[in-house]
Amino acid sequence: MRKLTRTKLKNIKGKEMSGCAGCPTSGNYGDGPEYTNSCWSYWALSANCRNCVDVSADCYGPDYSDFYK
């Protein structure tokens, strides 16, 4: 069994139906050169949009703990 990314799950369920209209669903979020957006950009998104993007677990590290407690 293989884990699916959020992007692939969104495509299975359909982005338009999940309430992601108006959210920046392209790219990914995390710390490092392999990500198109930073963790700070991720936390700047609305709570609804944060459920619609692909994010690294690094964005939930100790540097960002004030945002997810």
Side-chain angles (χ1 to χ4, degrees):
M1 189 173 236
R2 200 174 81 177
K3 275 180 98 172
L4 295 173
T5 64
R6 284 187 187 188
T7 306
K8 288 183 181 178
L9 285 172
K10 282 187 283 188
N11 289 336
I12 291 170
K13 292 196 164 254
K15 283 188 224 187
E16 286 74 30
M17 296 183 71
S18 67
C20 295
C23 296
T25 55
S26 63
N28 52 12
Y29 294 79
D31 287 334
E34 65 272 18
Y35 298 101
T36 55
N37 301 292
S38 70
C39 287
W40 293 113
S41 298
Y42 170 74
W43 289 108
L45 295 172
S46 68
N48 180 54
C49 286
R50 284 196 297 261
N51 292 325
C52 298
V53 298
D54 186 23
V55 62
S56 167
D58 296 340
C59 293
Y60 287 90
D63 292 342
Y64 308 101
S65 63
D66 290 343
F67 296 106
Y68 62 86
K69 282 189 177 178

